[in-house]
Amino acid sequence: MGQAAKVLQLFRTLHRTRRQVFKNDPRALEAARIKINEEFKSNKSETSPKKIEELMKIGSDVELLLRTSVIQGIHTDHNTLKLVPRKDLLLENVPYCDTPTQKQ
């Protein structure tokens, strides 16, 4: 797969993740859409393969961060937020341990 195809794939993946993460939040959906489009547009004329790779790494890191770390909150009253985690965020639940065991 050529570099241009990889850039396009990352662009699509970021937008797909944006739609999942900010579902039912029109303001966040629009803000994320604008930011993604601005970042790609501002680097559209980049020709250095090394710089493109760096930008691709940043984009991949952002996608991973959005997918694994963002939880929606809904204001239920002026002092309370109801958290709405996505199903894929609830899969990895490792219990905290005060005294970790040494690996053998």
Side-chain angles (χ1 to χ4, degrees):
M1 181 184 301
Q3 200 164 36
K6 288 180 183 176
V7 170
L8 184 57
Q9 182 181 27
L10 176 61
F11 181 79
R12 289 178 175 153
T13 302
L14 278 163
H15 277 291
R16 197 173 307 121
T17 301
R18 166 191 70 89
R19 286 191 303 269
Q20 291 169 355
V21 170
F22 300 119
K23 190 169 83 176
N24 301 324
D25 186 347
R27 284 178 49 204
L29 278 166
E30 182 65 8
R33 183 187 69 79
I34 289 169
K35 183 64 174 168
I36 292 167
N37 291 347
E38 281 177 355
E39 289 297 323
F40 275 81
K41 194 174 192 175
S42 71
N43 292 295
K44 186 178 182 179
S45 58
E46 184 60 58
T47 56
S48 163
K50 185 175 173 147
K51 178 69 173 165
I52 292 171
E53 280 300 317
E54 290 172 14
L55 292 167
M56 293 273 299
K57 174 76 172 108
I58 292 169
S60 297
D61 291 349
V62 167
E63 191 277 333
L64 181 66
L65 187 75
L66 283 172
R67 191 166 28 90
T68 59
S69 302
V70 175
I71 298 178
Q72 280 185 313
I74 299 171
H75 287 279
T76 53
D77 62 49
H78 81 97
N79 242 0
T80 311
L81 273 178
K82 176 185 176 191
L83 296 181
V84 186
R86 295 176 314 286
K87 283 186 174 59
D88 52 329
L89 284 180
L90 299 175
L91 296 179
E92 189 178 312
N93 189 5
V94 179
Y96 177 75
C97 179
D98 276 328
T99 56
T101 56
Q102 292 290 324
K103 289 187 177 181
Q104 299 299 326

